[in-house]
Amino acid sequence: MDKMAFTAKDVQKLREQTGAGMMDCKKALSSSDGDFDKAVEFLREKGLAAAQKKAGRVAAEGMVYAGVCPECGVGALVEVNSETDFVAKNEIFQNFVKDLAVVVMKENHADVEALNACQYPGEGKTVAEALTEKVATIGENIQLRRFVRYCEKTQNVAYMHMGGKIGVLVALEVSDNLKGNEAVIELGHDVCMQIAAMNPQYLDRDNVPAEVVEHEKEILMAQTMNEGKPAAVAQKIVAGRINKFFEENCLVDQAFVKENKTSVSKYVEAKAKELGGKIKIAKFARFEKGEGLAKKEDDFAAEVAAMTAKK
């Protein structure tokens, strides 16, 4: 009996229906002689075995999710990576990321390895087992990359930018009379947007490592001396320029985007005075999807065309 032919559209259709990877879809259609229904069964039967083959692929897309538990006030920020932006928009993937944030809120663990051993909500599996299952279902490598958890002792505020490209979590130390105050939460939201937009590297000057400051001073001194300034004058110029470094890289010293005539710290102080209490930015975390990871550039149409040409 002649083998049934299949096209690039068949491969794409099978991928969309099953969530399996392109090469797996091509193999499934080849193994089932082009019979679409048999190809679907073939992929289902492969099940979790497919997950192991995908574990080596570069996962640099994905989603960042930030949230605060409405009951306990614990804040969580997580990043889960996928291979393609296409999968990052998949509802199954997005719900998985949100569920992981809930696990982070409930379980206070130090690292990803410990989090992987936690129970995943409602499925009787560990996080690691649920992740492996999602790899098989979705058809791409998925990696839980990192997370941050802020306890309920601080007023935590979360912000997500561009549907999960950037996530920010801010912890505010507030006086008892301002805990849960809507104006404080709005302030926290403004600070989150500042962090998302300006990407500060440190909270304040005390948090900048001494070696970083010294290295920056060396660079500034060399620049100033190259401008022909005498050493004594250069020292004073460097002192002024290092302040500029702090203003650009320390959150509390940055010009507040919403009102750039004042710094973030001055704005927070003014808001605290207005509300009749104390507010201090205790810490923050900012995750940008895929930052620091190598990305694989794929041309979907070209890949499909190349695959079908090899049939």
Side-chain angles (χ1 to χ4, degrees):
M1 180 175 151
D2 293 336
K3 290 189 175 183
M4 295 172 62
F6 63 91
T7 66
K9 284 187 178 180
D10 293 328
V11 176
Q12 186 171 354
K13 180 183 175 184
L14 186 60
R15 185 188 186 202
E16 289 172 352
Q17 182 168 324
T18 63
M22 288 179 61
M23 290 303 298
D24 286 332
C25 289
K26 181 175 181 288
K27 288 175 184 176
L29 285 165
S30 295
S31 299
S32 58
D33 294 340
D35 187 304
F36 193 85
D37 291 335
K38 287 184 179 178
V40 172
E41 288 181 12
F42 176 88
L43 289 170
R44 291 187 65 191
E45 288 168 2
K46 280 186 76 176
L48 299 180
Q52 301 304 318
K53 293 186 178 181
K54 298 178 182 75
R57 297 185 193 164
V58 175
E61 291 293 338
M63 178 180 175
V64 174
Y65 182 80
V68 176
C69 176
E71 285 84 28
C72 67
V74 171
L77 176 63
V78 299
E79 180 183 0
V80 181
N81 299 121
S82 62
E83 293 177 54
T84 66
D85 186 53
F86 175 81
V87 162
K89 294 174 182 176
N90 181 301
E91 189 175 356
I92 295 174
F93 177 82
Q94 293 177 351
N95 288 336
F96 176 66
V97 178
K98 292 173 185 177
D99 285 344
L100 287 180
V102 172
V103 177
V104 170
M105 291 173 192
K106 291 182 178 179
E107 304 280 349
N108 187 10
H109 287 296
D111 54 31
V112 169
E113 184 179 356
L115 183 61
N116 274 322
C118 290
Q119 286 297 302
Y120 185 75
E123 294 190 11
K125 301 181 179 71
T126 65
V127 167
E129 290 168 342
L131 187 147
T132 301
E133 186 179 78
K134 293 296 184 290
V135 170
T137 302
I138 293 172
E140 285 192 5
N141 185 22
I142 299 171
Q143 295 287 335
L144 168 54
R145 185 185 183 193
R146 52 183 173 166
F147 69 90
V148 166
R149 181 185 188 273
Y150 290 164
C151 74
E152 70 283 356
K153 292 181 180 179
T154 49
Q155 179 72 66
N156 302 313
V157 184
Y159 171 72
M160 285 174 58
H161 183 65
M162 295 180 67
K165 180 179 179 181
I166 296 172
V168 178
L169 189 63
V170 166
L172 302 174
E173 291 179 356
V174 301
S175 50
D176 290 342
N177 65 315
L178 294 183
K179 199 76 184 280
N181 185 295
E182 297 233 349
V184 173
I185 294 172
E186 183 181 348
L187 169 66
H189 187 261
D190 288 341
V191 173
C192 282
M193 289 195 291
Q194 169 86 22
I195 294 164
M198 302 307 294
N199 194 17
Q201 300 301 301
Y202 311 99
L203 173 62
D204 54 29
R205 300 181 185 210
D206 291 339
N207 279 272
V208 184
E211 60 269 24
V212 172
V213 177
E214 286 307 310
H215 180 63
E216 191 64 24
K217 284 182 177 178
E218 289 173 8
I219 293 171
L220 291 172
M221 178 60 78
Q223 289 175 350
T224 309
M225 295 293 286
N226 287 337
E227 292 168 5
K229 302 287 194 268
V233 176
Q235 291 280 2
K236 294 180 181 179
I237 293 174
V238 167
R241 289 180 176 176
I242 199 70
N243 278 328
K244 184 68 174 175
F245 168 81
F246 289 133
E247 288 169 6
E248 290 175 351
N249 291 279
C250 298
L251 172 62
V252 298
D253 289 331
Q254 287 183 339
F256 191 45
V257 170
K258 209 169 179 182
E259 293 185 23
N260 60 14
K261 292 182 180 179
T262 187
S263 67
V264 171
S265 62
K266 294 295 183 185
Y267 186 84
V268 172
E269 286 172 14
K271 184 60 68 173
K273 185 176 181 181
E274 176 189 325
L275 297 173
K278 293 182 179 179
I279 307 172
K280 180 184 177 183
I281 304 172
K283 53 188 174 180
F284 74 89
R286 179 189 188 274
F287 288 175
E288 185 165 347
K289 175 189 70 177
E291 61 188 343
L293 296 175
K295 295 193 178 184
K296 179 184 174 185
E297 298 296 333
D298 287 321
D299 183 332
F300 182 78
E303 187 177 350
V304 173
M307 281 168 43
T308 54
K310 293 176 183 177
K311 284 196 302 147

mmCIF file of all heavy atoms in Angstrom, residues 232-249:
data_model
loop_
_atom_site.group_PDB
_atom_site.id
_atom_site.type_symbol
_atom_site.label_atom_id
_atom_site.label_comp_id
_atom_site.label_asym_id
_atom_site.label_seq_id
_atom_site.Cartn_x
_atom_site.Cartn_y
_atom_site.Cartn_z
ATOM 1 N N ALA A 232 44.725 66.971 41.236
ATOM 2 C CA ALA A 232 43.943 67.522 42.351
ATOM 3 C C ALA A 232 42.542 67.918 41.895
ATOM 4 O O ALA A 232 41.547 67.686 42.588
ATOM 5 C CB ALA A 232 44.659 68.727 42.954
ATOM 6 N N VAL A 233 42.474 68.507 40.703
ATOM 7 C CA VAL A 233 41.173 68.909 40.147
ATOM 8 C C VAL A 233 40.375 67.675 39.743
ATOM 9 O O VAL A 233 39.158 67.606 39.937
ATOM 10 C CB VAL A 233 41.368 69.837 38.932
ATOM 11 C CG1 VAL A 233 40.026 70.179 38.295
ATOM 12 C CG2 VAL A 233 42.106 71.108 39.352
ATOM 13 N N ALA A 234 41.075 66.686 39.198
ATOM 14 C CA ALA A 234 40.419 65.457 38.740
ATOM 15 C C ALA A 234 39.716 64.740 39.884
ATOM 16 O O ALA A 234 38.624 64.193 39.718
ATOM 17 C CB ALA A 234 41.439 64.533 38.094
ATOM 18 N N GLN A 235 40.324 64.763 41.072
ATOM 19 C CA GLN A 235 39.722 64.106 42.242
ATOM 20 C C GLN A 235 38.343 64.707 42.543
ATOM 21 O O GLN A 235 37.385 63.984 42.817
ATOM 22 C CB GLN A 235 40.634 64.281 43.476
ATOM 23 C CG GLN A 235 41.939 63.508 43.403
ATOM 24 C CD GLN A 235 41.762 62.033 43.751
ATOM 25 O OE1 GLN A 235 40.669 61.569 44.015
ATOM 26 N NE2 GLN A 235 42.874 61.286 43.712
ATOM 27 N N LYS A 236 38.242 66.026 42.477
ATOM 28 C CA LYS A 236 36.967 66.699 42.764
ATOM 29 C C LYS A 236 35.932 66.406 41.674
ATOM 30 O O LYS A 236 34.746 66.217 41.959
ATOM 31 C CB LYS A 236 37.189 68.202 42.885
ATOM 32 C CG LYS A 236 38.041 68.599 44.082
ATOM 33 C CD LYS A 236 38.234 70.103 44.149
ATOM 34 C CE LYS A 236 39.103 70.473 45.341
ATOM 35 N NZ LYS A 236 39.328 71.946 45.404
ATOM 36 N N ILE A 237 36.414 66.365 40.448
ATOM 37 C CA ILE A 237 35.500 66.077 39.331
ATOM 38 C C ILE A 237 34.950 64.650 39.450
ATOM 39 O O ILE A 237 33.759 64.408 39.247
ATOM 40 C CB ILE A 237 36.219 66.274 37.986
ATOM 41 C CG1 ILE A 237 36.560 67.754 37.791
ATOM 42 C CG2 ILE A 237 35.362 65.765 36.830
ATOM 43 C CD1 ILE A 237 37.404 68.043 36.568
ATOM 44 N N VAL A 238 35.851 63.722 39.804
ATOM 45 C CA VAL A 238 35.429 62.325 39.956
ATOM 46 C C VAL A 238 34.397 62.194 41.070
ATOM 47 O O VAL A 238 33.421 61.437 40.950
ATOM 48 C CB VAL A 238 36.642 61.416 40.223
ATOM 49 C CG1 VAL A 238 36.195 60.027 40.690
ATOM 50 C CG2 VAL A 238 37.500 61.304 38.975
ATOM 51 N N ALA A 239 34.593 62.933 42.161
ATOM 52 C CA ALA A 239 33.628 62.888 43.269
ATOM 53 C C ALA A 239 32.234 63.297 42.801
ATOM 54 O O ALA A 239 31.221 62.719 43.220
ATOM 55 C CB ALA A 239 34.102 63.803 44.399
ATOM 56 N N GLY A 240 32.182 64.287 41.928
ATOM 57 C CA GLY A 240 30.897 64.716 41.386
ATOM 58 C C GLY A 240 30.318 63.698 40.416
ATOM 59 O O GLY A 240 29.113 63.430 40.424
ATOM 60 N N ARG A 241 31.171 63.117 39.605
ATOM 61 C CA ARG A 241 30.702 62.163 38.598
ATOM 62 C C ARG A 241 30.266 60.837 39.218
ATOM 63 O O ARG A 241 29.387 60.162 38.675
ATOM 64 C CB ARG A 241 31.795 61.937 37.553
ATOM 65 C CG ARG A 241 31.996 63.153 36.651
ATOM 66 C CD ARG A 241 33.072 62.931 35.611
ATOM 67 N NE ARG A 241 33.180 64.079 34.716
ATOM 68 C CZ ARG A 241 34.095 64.204 33.752
ATOM 69 N NH1 ARG A 241 34.980 63.229 33.551
ATOM 70 N NH2 ARG A 241 34.127 65.284 32.990
ATOM 71 N N ILE A 242 30.880 60.459 40.339
ATOM 72 C CA ILE A 242 30.453 59.209 40.984
ATOM 73 C C ILE A 242 29.047 59.363 41.543
ATOM 74 O O ILE A 242 28.267 58.411 41.611
ATOM 75 C CB ILE A 242 31.445 58.769 42.085
ATOM 76 C CG1 ILE A 242 31.257 57.265 42.406
ATOM 77 C CG2 ILE A 242 31.282 59.583 43.350
ATOM 78 C CD1 ILE A 242 31.691 56.339 41.325
ATOM 79 N N ASN A 243 28.696 60.593 41.924
ATOM 80 C CA ASN A 243 27.325 60.859 42.357
ATOM 81 C C ASN A 243 26.343 60.618 41.217
ATOM 82 O O ASN A 243 25.236 60.124 41.434
ATOM 83 C CB ASN A 243 27.187 62.298 42.872
ATOM 84 C CG ASN A 243 27.647 62.430 44.312
ATOM 85 O OD1 ASN A 243 27.505 61.501 45.101
ATOM 86 N ND2 ASN A 243 28.200 63.590 44.653
ATOM 87 N N LYS A 244 26.772 60.979 40.024
ATOM 88 C CA LYS A 244 25.930 60.750 38.846
ATOM 89 C C LYS A 244 25.719 59.251 38.640
ATOM 90 O O LYS A 244 24.618 58.808 38.270
ATOM 91 C CB LYS A 244 26.610 61.365 37.618
ATOM 92 C CG LYS A 244 25.794 61.284 36.342
ATOM 93 C CD LYS A 244 24.557 62.149 36.400
ATOM 94 C CE LYS A 244 23.830 62.161 35.075
ATOM 95 N NZ LYS A 244 22.549 62.905 35.121
ATOM 96 N N PHE A 245 26.766 58.473 38.886
ATOM 97 C CA PHE A 245 26.670 57.019 38.783
ATOM 98 C C PHE A 245 25.614 56.489 39.749
ATOM 99 O O PHE A 245 24.781 55.646 39.394
ATOM 100 C CB PHE A 245 28.032 56.381 39.078
ATOM 101 C CG PHE A 245 27.991 54.890 39.277
ATOM 102 C CD1 PHE A 245 27.956 54.030 38.186
ATOM 103 C CD2 PHE A 245 27.980 54.340 40.561
ATOM 104 C CE1 PHE A 245 27.915 52.645 38.366
ATOM 105 C CE2 PHE A 245 27.940 52.957 40.739
ATOM 106 C CZ PHE A 245 27.908 52.116 39.638
ATOM 107 N N PHE A 246 25.646 56.984 41.000
ATOM 108 C CA PHE A 246 24.661 56.566 41.993
ATOM 109 C C PHE A 246 23.246 56.972 41.575
ATOM 110 O O PHE A 246 22.294 56.209 41.742
ATOM 111 C CB PHE A 246 24.988 57.166 43.362
ATOM 112 C CG PHE A 246 26.202 56.573 44.023
ATOM 113 C CD1 PHE A 246 27.165 57.392 44.593
ATOM 114 C CD2 PHE A 246 26.378 55.194 44.085
ATOM 115 C CE1 PHE A 246 28.286 56.850 45.212
ATOM 116 C CE2 PHE A 246 27.492 54.641 44.694
ATOM 117 C CZ PHE A 246 28.447 55.469 45.262
ATOM 118 N N GLU A 247 23.106 58.167 41.041
ATOM 119 C CA GLU A 247 21.790 58.660 40.633
ATOM 120 C C GLU A 247 21.194 57.836 39.497
ATOM 121 O O GLU A 247 19.974 57.723 39.380
ATOM 122 C CB GLU A 247 21.895 60.127 40.210
ATOM 123 C CG GLU A 247 22.121 61.076 41.371
ATOM 124 C CD GLU A 247 22.483 62.483 40.916
ATOM 125 O OE1 GLU A 247 22.447 62.734 39.686
ATOM 126 O OE2 GLU A 247 22.796 63.323 41.777
ATOM 127 N N GLU A 248 22.047 57.249 38.686
ATOM 128 C CA GLU A 248 21.566 56.445 37.566
ATOM 129 C C GLU A 248 21.303 54.990 37.964
ATOM 130 O O GLU A 248 20.421 54.346 37.390
ATOM 131 C CB GLU A 248 22.591 56.480 36.426
ATOM 132 C CG GLU A 248 22.687 57.831 35.746
ATOM 133 C CD GLU A 248 23.784 57.878 34.704
ATOM 134 O OE1 GLU A 248 24.590 56.906 34.634
ATOM 135 O OE2 GLU A 248 23.862 58.862 33.961
ATOM 136 N N ASN A 249 22.059 54.487 38.939
ATOM 137 C CA ASN A 249 22.005 53.052 39.239
ATOM 138 C C ASN A 249 21.329 52.679 40.554
ATOM 139 O O ASN A 249 21.022 51.499 40.759
ATOM 140 C CB ASN A 249 23.425 52.489 39.230
ATOM 141 C CG ASN A 249 24.024 52.470 37.834
ATOM 142 O OD1 ASN A 249 23.747 51.572 37.047
ATOM 143 N ND2 ASN A 249 24.839 53.472 37.522
#
